[in-house]
Amino acid sequence: MTTIQPNLQKEPIRYRLKAFFMKPANLILLFFLAALAVLSLFPMVTMLKNMFTVHAGTERKLLRLSVGSWTLNHFELLFQDREWSRANFFTPLLNSLIVASGSGLLGILIGGTVAWFITRSDLKCKKFISAVFVFPYMMPAWTLALFWTNMFQNSKVGGGVVGMVESLFGVCMPEWFVYGLFPMIVVIGLHYSPFAYLLIGGILKNMDATLEESATILKARRFTIIRRITIPIVMPAVLSTFLLIFSSGFASYTVPVFLGSATRTFTLSTKMRALIQAGYEGQGYIIAFISILLGTLILGVNQYFTGKRKSFTTVTGKSGQVSLVKLRGGNWPISILLIVLTMFFAIMPLFSFALESVIKQPGNYAASNMTLDFWIGTEASAYETGMPDGILMNGMMWMGLFRQVGLAIAVSLIVGTCGMLIGYACVRRRGTWLAQAVENLAFFPYLMPAMAFGTIYLAVATGASFKWMYGTFFLLGLVASVKFLPFASRSGVNSMMQIAPEIEEAATIFGVPWVTRMARILFPIQKSAIISGYLLPVINVMREVALFTLLVPYPRYLLTTMLFSFNETGYSQYGSAVTLLIILIIIAINALVNKLTGASFDKGIGG
Amino acid sequence: MKRVLSLVLVLILTCAIALSASAEGVEDALKAASAMTNEQLYEKAQAEIAAGAQLNFYSTTSFAEKAAANFMEAYPALAGKVVYAEIDDGETYTKLTNQIGSGVKDSPDMALVQNGPDLKVNLLEDGLSLNYFPAALAEVVPEKYQDPAVVTFINSLMIYNNKEGSVGVANVWQLVEPEWSGKVFFKDPTNETVNLNFLIMLTSPEWTEKMTKAYEAFYGKAWESTEFASASYQWIDGFLKNVNYTFTSASKIATGIASGAAGNMGIFVFSKLRKVDENDRGNLTVLQFENDVDCFSGFMYNVYATVCKDTDCPYACALFINWLLSEEGFAGSKSWNSSQGYYSPNTTILKPEGLEDQPYVYWDGKLVFEDLDYIDGLGESYNDIYRFINVRVSK
């Protein structure tokens, strides 16, 4: 028998290429490199172009130039006039930075503290606190903003409408507490504190406890152990979490709208939208671009401090034994305090929305002022508020819900699968430029504020070649898939990193095809984490507004855009009812998937 | 190669001709429709529907949904084929300019839009949408409301919380005084074009003159040029300083004023009073019904009907616009006329008795009417006025 040896000297590239393409991981990486380059970079190029071109409407009229012609006027308008740039750029930028930093710090403080108590102490009622503490992350951020105003608005501030706290206790909180930067920081910080809890908690849970135990044996004080051992170990995760919350807080749009209008506290996101709506699209795109630049800077800082980005998620390798800190006499008081706090921010909003959805006259919580008409009212009994009947009786609401759930499922399937494939390919080809490029490109959409991302895709979908996409379900699915890919890809990388390559290699030696290896070996091993990767986009889509608001064909197309429209136009009872419905659906989906598969969305993040 | 090239050229030419023919076809159809009776239009509309068309329309006013339902009852052959979609004011033109001609499924056939200047500059001037007005109504609708065709007027009035009695405002200059700081509620004009247009209208020569006279009447001295170009600019500056933006929509202003602090005043859409709970309505007083305010007590803006250039049912659109301008359409069950604050350009349609409102003519001179020609004719100075307002909103 003669063996034909390839002539590597003669045709090395050919054989190298063949070997390269023989590996499914390389093919996957090439596919995603091309796809993500188009989906992430092409919109970016379109946006850059829009910063320098004249748009139809106001710009064309003011500049007396034809649509599409090149101009630097948008930059001149935004930056040359001191008063204009202060009002539309610098002051909002400062506000955005304050909100982002404040919410980042608060999120870390609350989430990190709770994470430490849950993972490293013998706190009571851990299961309850742990389960309920993540609720605010499942809620759309602006629902917490609504809850805040429902609670604290009072006769001394804003419009003088009485809120729950004043109604029940006669206490009037000052304006800075109810509206402006402070409540924005609190609300966004609280919204993302479960995020910090899950990320930091994941590190604390998996941290090698022998370090702390050694210190204890050496008679180090508890505070010294926390300061010298625990904090340095979790510091990379803390920093990464801070930067991620900072980025999300910076991009927040709905919270500043609800909490900032009363005190004229505008942020870059709110100004960007106002400028685009007023016909100054070019300036709006410049603001969007600067937001993205800042996001990129944040990623750079993150990578610089943490070495590599993956360090914000799971640390592999578990300690054989974890010794819990005994809280002794402080256990019950701390447990009760945490229960009360989590109840207030996680359960109270649900009660608040339920209550607000059944009262006719705001601020009057008497039984005589209650009705179920906003839920089940028919044409005869419902109020003349623009909706012909209660939300459960309304076909449009059901259609919005159906679309939202359909979109969530579609996006989940796309994003979950892509995330898993990216994770597999990046881990198998770790260290190559291709894997690094795909990992970075997959993470890039996270840096774009949802509002800016929606605006970019609006610009793309309004281009001559892609007009057919505008207003379609396909566009929403595409945009949401790209936007929510970062966490799924991180989840994919994390789960695949925990599987030793030898397992797959053994199957490869036996000639098991790649698809079978994935389906029979890799997926079953990491089933829970992978399903969690599918679950996270469901939650993201179910609560997303800013991303979809410019892209839906009409405001009542999706349940969340319908809700935002209700709240904007003053249908507050319908708004509260729909909000409650969304939160309950998210909780139900999470619970159902958890029951069926053991997965939950916190595992998708890396907890 | 030559064959391929020529084939491509022929294809491009065919498409171009087809597209232009389509736009011309709609324009011709609308011209023909203008002279037809409703019966003739109904026949044509039925043929369009039979050919697979569906009338999709956008509207910034939710009453249009009920008007469409009444329309389909009156013309049963069109039942289920007139589909309403609500659209936010701020996104109206972004969406329409993108959707018209895009071929997107269920793209709009017509729209009921506010903000005439934007309608003109974004749609009509670019030929994206076309005007339609029925010749039969030329005698009963003033000419200036025929092109672009106005289907309803909406007013925003000064309304205050009367729990502690009258606020005693008889002159608009009172609202720029320090005691009104934070007590006047108004929707952010940089987010609501009709509110922006109201402020822009104040800079017109006509309103500047009225503002100057009101200034003299209130302060007892002639207005003198200081840092502002006119009395109107001074009023806008003072007004925007006092404005409170807590409530982000007209409905929220209405309910917020009603259930909020005594003496608060809002300038909001009159028809939003229907959103206020019955128990609270007594807390509200329409300033104009109490005092004949010097020099205005709110503003009036127009809602226009416009037909998209790529509609496949121009006759159905024409019939629907006829309906909206008719007594049955405008004053039908639970339609515009049943609410305060909506007025038909058709002078034969009056507000029903028993409604706390006044006919359209009553408001002439008492409210600042949006004038499309003035705003559109501002040219580059539009930017200066917008800048003046924008920077003051943020202060």
Side-chain angles (χ1 to χ4, degrees):
Chain A
M1 197 175 96
T2 51
T3 310
I4 300 166
Q5 291 287 337
N7 187 346
L8 291 174
Q9 293 295 321
K10 236 180 173 181
E11 295 176 307
I13 295 172
R14 189 182 144 202
Y15 285 105
R16 269 187 220 163
L17 278 176
K18 196 176 173 188
F20 181 85
F21 285 112
M22 288 276 283
K23 289 178 180 156
N26 287 333
L27 291 175
I28 293 168
L29 287 175
L30 277 180
F31 170 76
F32 279 107
L33 181 74
L36 291 170
V38 171
L39 293 170
S40 287
L41 296 183
F42 181 65
M44 188 75 186
V45 173
T46 308
M47 196 191 65
L48 280 171
K49 188 183 157 210
N50 273 284
M51 288 157 53
F52 297 97
T53 49
V54 177
H55 300 88
T58 309
E59 285 179 6
R60 187 198 61 185
K61 191 176 157 188
L62 292 177
L63 299 173
R64 295 173 188 274
L65 291 168
S66 58
V67 173
S69 49
W70 297 94
T71 179
L72 287 172
N73 184 272
H74 310 318
F75 285 89
E76 286 168 18
L77 269 173
L78 190 58
F79 295 115
Q80 269 191 1
D81 181 331
R82 196 176 286 181
E83 223 178 353
W84 176 273
S85 54
R86 194 171 55 216
N88 292 288
F89 184 74
F90 290 110
T91 307
L93 173 66
L94 181 67
N95 288 337
S96 293
L97 289 171
I98 293 170
V99 169
S101 315
S103 51
L105 287 172
L106 189 72
I108 294 284
L109 188 70
I110 298 173
T113 308
V114 173
W116 186 86
F117 277 117
I118 297 285
T119 57
R120 313 297 290 178
S121 80
D122 63 343
L123 189 81
K124 305 281 180 195
C125 307
K126 275 187 191 177
K127 267 195 169 178
F128 174 80
I129 296 169
S130 179
V132 173
F133 188 75
V134 294
F135 276 19
Y137 191 67
M138 295 186 194
M139 300 174 191
W142 92 95
T143 58
L144 279 176
L146 275 183
F147 166 67
W148 190 271
T149 44
N150 285 345
M151 289 298 289
F152 298 113
Q153 63 186 353
N154 59 67
S155 52
K156 302 271 168 46
V157 300
V161 178
V162 175
M164 269 189 193
V165 169
E166 187 184 8
S167 187
L168 296 172
F169 308 110
V171 177
C172 292
M173 303 309 283
E175 188 180 62
W176 63 264
F177 187 90
V178 188
Y179 300 111
L181 290 172
F182 175 77
M184 282 188 216
I185 289 169
V186 173
V187 163
I188 297 172
L190 282 171
H191 176 67
Y192 287 105
S193 60
F195 186 75
Y197 161 70
L198 295 168
L199 296 183
I200 297 169
I203 301 289
L204 286 170
K205 199 166 64 183
N206 295 326
M207 198 175 98
D208 190 345
T210 52
L211 294 168
E212 287 175 319
E213 283 163 8
S214 306
T216 311
I217 292 164
L218 293 169
K219 308 272 186 217
R221 283 183 302 162
R222 175 53 53 192
F223 179 72
T224 312
I225 295 172
I226 290 175
R227 189 168 56 86
R228 300 292 294 274
I229 296 174
T230 316
I231 290 179
I233 286 176
V234 296
M235 192 44 89
V238 169
L239 191 66
S240 294
T241 309
F242 171 78
L243 293 169
L244 290 170
I245 300 177
F246 179 96
S247 189
S248 302
F250 190 87
S252 176
Y253 168 74
T254 46
V255 174
V257 166
F258 284 125
L259 294 173
S261 299
T263 48
R264 305 188 190 199
T265 311
F266 300 105
T267 61
L268 270 193
S269 296
T270 56
K271 277 294 170 188
M272 181 180 78
R273 189 169 183 198
L275 284 170
I276 289 174
Q277 285 192 358
Y280 296 91
E281 283 106 323
Q283 293 183 62
Y285 286 119
I286 293 171
I287 291 180
F289 179 71
I290 289 168
S291 299
I292 292 165
L293 272 187
L294 198 87
T296 313
L297 185 74
I298 287 166
L299 181 67
V301 171
N302 189 17
Q303 283 184 325
Y304 177 79
F305 279 108
T306 59
K308 39 188 169 175
R309 211 178 51 237
K310 74 181 171 65
S311 56
F312 75 75
T313 59
T314 314
V315 168
T316 53
K318 289 191 177 184
S319 164
Q321 45 186 304
V322 176
S323 68
L324 299 178
V325 175
K326 289 185 174 55
L327 298 172
R328 295 192 182 93
N331 199 328
W332 272 114
I334 294 170
S335 303
I336 290 168
L337 180 74
L338 284 180
I339 289 169
V340 170
L341 275 176
T342 48
M343 288 282 281
F344 184 74
F345 291 113
I347 305 288
M348 270 297 282
L350 306 186
F351 279 112
S352 162
F353 292 126
L355 199 58
E356 296 293 329
S357 70
V358 294
I359 57 166
K360 291 186 269 185
Q361 190 186 357
N364 179 357
Y365 300 100
S368 59
N369 189 41
M370 292 184 183
T371 175
L372 284 175
D373 285 352
F374 299 107
W375 285 91
I376 53 168
T378 56
E379 190 167 1
S381 62
Y383 292 93
E384 289 289 330
T385 48
M387 288 275 282
D389 35 35
I391 64 155
L392 295 181
M393 314 297 281
N394 186 278
M396 195 174 264
M397 198 289 300
W398 285 109
M399 274 309 292
L401 174 63
F402 177 72
R403 287 192 196 102
Q404 191 97 34
V405 173
L407 186 66
I409 292 168
V411 171
S412 156
L413 290 174
I414 295 167
V415 168
T417 308
C418 292
M420 182 178 64
L421 291 174
I422 289 173
Y424 166 80
C426 286
V427 169
R428 288 291 169 268
R429 304 298 299 151
R430 199 140 196 92
T432 62
W433 71 268
L434 193 57
Q436 189 64 36
V438 170
E439 212 177 329
N440 280 335
L441 274 176
F443 199 76
F444 186 65
Y446 184 81
L447 305 176
M448 298 192 196
M451 194 71 207
F453 203 67
T455 312
I456 293 167
Y457 267 90
L458 176 72
V460 174
T462 55
S465 322
F466 299 101
K467 271 200 168 183
W468 57 271
M469 279 206 301
Y470 189 79
T472 60
F473 190 82
F474 172 79
L475 177 66
L476 297 175
L478 181 75
V479 171
S481 297
V482 179
K483 180 66 185 163
F484 299 132
L485 185 60
F487 281 123
S489 67
R490 292 305 315 154
S491 172
V493 169
N494 292 333
S495 59
M496 290 299 169
M497 275 182 76
Q498 289 168 1
I499 303 174
E502 291 82 5
I503 300 170
E504 197 194 352
E505 281 164 15
T508 313
I509 290 166
F510 281 98
V512 180
W514 178 77
V515 175
T516 314
R517 296 199 302 266
M518 290 295 284
R520 294 283 184 86
I521 301 171
L522 302 181
F523 188 81
I525 290 175
Q526 281 294 22
K527 187 186 78 175
S528 175
I530 289 170
I531 292 174
S532 303
Y534 279 89
L535 186 58
L536 192 63
V538 173
I539 291 161
N540 285 330
V541 172
M542 283 302 294
R543 62 171 200 201
E544 182 59 47
V545 177
L547 186 66
F548 300 136
T549 185
L550 278 171
L551 301 173
V552 288
Y554 50 89
R556 292 186 188 175
Y557 187 79
L558 293 175
L559 200 59
T560 48
T561 51
M562 179 191 287
L563 169 57
F564 192 62
S565 163
F566 280 154
N567 285 315
E568 278 282 274
T569 50
Y571 304 132
S572 58
Q573 292 94 337
Y574 291 122
S576 296
V578 173
T579 304
L580 186 63
L581 203 63
I582 288 176
I583 297 169
L584 292 179
I585 289 170
I586 293 175
I587 292 171
I589 291 174
N590 192 44
L592 184 72
V593 174
N594 186 249
K595 192 84 185 163
L596 293 176
T597 67
S600 64
F601 91 97
D602 50 310
K603 287 176 186 158
I605 292 175
Chain B
M1 189 65 189
K2 276 183 182 172
R3 269 189 193 176
V4 174
L5 270 176
S6 48
L7 199 65
V8 169
L9 272 173
V10 168
L11 269 173
I12 291 170
L13 275 172
T14 314
C15 286
I17 291 165
L19 281 173
S20 62
S22 160
E24 276 173 19
V26 172
E27 198 170 0
D28 291 343
L30 291 176
K31 269 183 195 159
S34 167
M36 288 181 182
T37 62
N38 283 347
E39 288 70 30
Q40 289 170 317
L41 284 175
Y42 187 31
E43 265 182 37
K44 290 266 190 187
Q46 285 180 67
E48 288 170 342
I49 298 301
Q54 173 173 288
L55 198 171
N56 299 303
F57 78 103
Y58 281 165
S59 173
T60 49
T61 141
S62 55
F63 267 113
E65 187 173 18
K66 192 64 195 170
N70 292 343
F71 174 68
M72 287 185 281
E73 262 182 41
Y75 297 99
L78 309 181
K81 295 294 177 185
V82 181
V83 179
Y84 155 87
E86 178 202 7
I87 192 166
D88 277 350
D89 169 52
E91 291 161 0
T92 301
Y93 294 102
T94 310
K95 292 202 164 179
L96 283 172
T97 50
N98 287 305
Q99 290 201 332
I100 296 173
S102 67
V104 172
K105 189 177 173 289
D106 295 337
S107 65
D109 295 283
M110 60 173 281
L112 305 182
V113 296
Q114 54 195 46
N115 189 14
D118 274 0
L119 166 66
K120 199 172 170 186
V121 76
N122 283 297
L123 299 182
L124 293 171
E125 283 180 0
D126 285 347
L128 289 177
S129 74
L130 303 160
N131 188 52
Y132 166 78
F133 184 79
L137 295 177
E139 297 298 312
V140 293
V141 174
E143 198 180 343
K144 61 180 173 177
Y145 301 133
Q146 295 178 13
D147 189 7
V150 175
V151 288
T152 184
F153 303 105
I154 298 175
N155 57 6
S156 274
L157 302 179
M158 293 176 184
I159 298 170
Y160 71 88
N161 184 307
N162 59 22
K163 278 189 278 192
E164 288 179 4
S166 171
V167 291
V169 170
N171 186 305
V172 285
W173 284 95
Q174 282 174 261
L175 296 181
V176 304
E177 291 298 298
E179 64 258 33
W180 280 97
S181 177
K183 297 193 72 165
V184 195
F185 293 79
F186 187 61
K187 205 176 164 190
D188 178 352
T190 59
N191 277 326
E192 180 80 356
T193 40
V194 291
N195 287 24
L196 176 71
N197 288 346
F198 151 62
L199 296 177
I200 292 174
M201 281 308 303
L202 292 178
T203 66
S204 67
E206 178 199 349
W207 282 102
T208 297
E209 191 185 335
K210 289 181 181 176
M211 292 292 274
T212 311
K213 281 184 184 164
Y215 180 94
E216 285 175 25
F218 184 67
Y219 292 106
K221 59 179 182 183
W223 181 82
E224 280 178 20
S225 175
T226 49
E227 58 182 303
F228 301 104
S230 71
S232 294
Y233 280 96
Q234 185 173 337
W235 188 85
I236 293 169
D237 176 72
F239 174 71
L240 291 178
K241 267 182 193 149
N242 282 349
V243 160
N244 188 323
Y245 299 115
T246 295
F247 306 118
T248 51
S249 72
S251 306
K252 283 182 183 173
I253 300 178
T255 52
I257 296 285
S259 57
N264 279 348
M265 182 185 288
I267 303 180
F268 59 89
V269 177
F270 189 24
S271 68
K272 299 295 180 189
L273 285 191
R274 72 186 190 278
K275 301 269 178 75
V276 179
D277 186 76
E278 279 173 26
N279 296 323
D280 277 347
R281 281 194 202 173
N283 294 341
L284 297 174
T285 296
V286 176
L287 189 61
Q288 183 59 44
F289 296 156
E290 183 184 68
N291 283 326
D292 202 10
V293 183
D294 187 4
C295 69
F296 61 82
S297 55
F299 60 97
M300 181 85 81
Y301 61 92
N302 312 336
V303 173
Y304 303 90
T306 194
V307 181
C308 304
K309 70 164 188 183
D310 58 349
T311 176
D312 52 359
C313 52
Y315 292 103
C317 291
L319 184 62
F320 187 46
I321 293 171
N322 285 6
W323 170 259
L324 296 176
L325 289 167
S326 70
E327 174 92 33
E328 314 87 72
F330 193 82
S333 162
K334 292 186 179 175
S335 203
W336 282 321
N337 215 33
S338 61
S339 170
Q340 295 159 306
Y342 288 103
Y343 313 91
S344 174
N346 182 340
T347 50
T348 62
I349 303 172
L350 302 173
K351 294 302 288 182
E353 284 179 15
L355 206 61
E356 195 201 7
D357 199 350
Q358 294 289 338
Y360 175 77
V361 288
Y362 167 85
W363 298 107
D364 197 3
K366 296 178 171 65
L367 304 180
V368 179
F369 281 39
E370 184 181 284
D371 182 349
L372 190 157
D373 293 330
Y374 171 70
I375 298 172
D376 187 52
L378 283 169
E380 283 172 14
S381 54
Y382 176 91
N383 199 41
D384 298 331
I385 303 172
Y386 181 80
R387 181 194 165 283
F388 184 87
I389 294 165
N390 177 295
V391 297
R392 277 158 182 79
V393 166
S394 305
K395 277 180 181 171

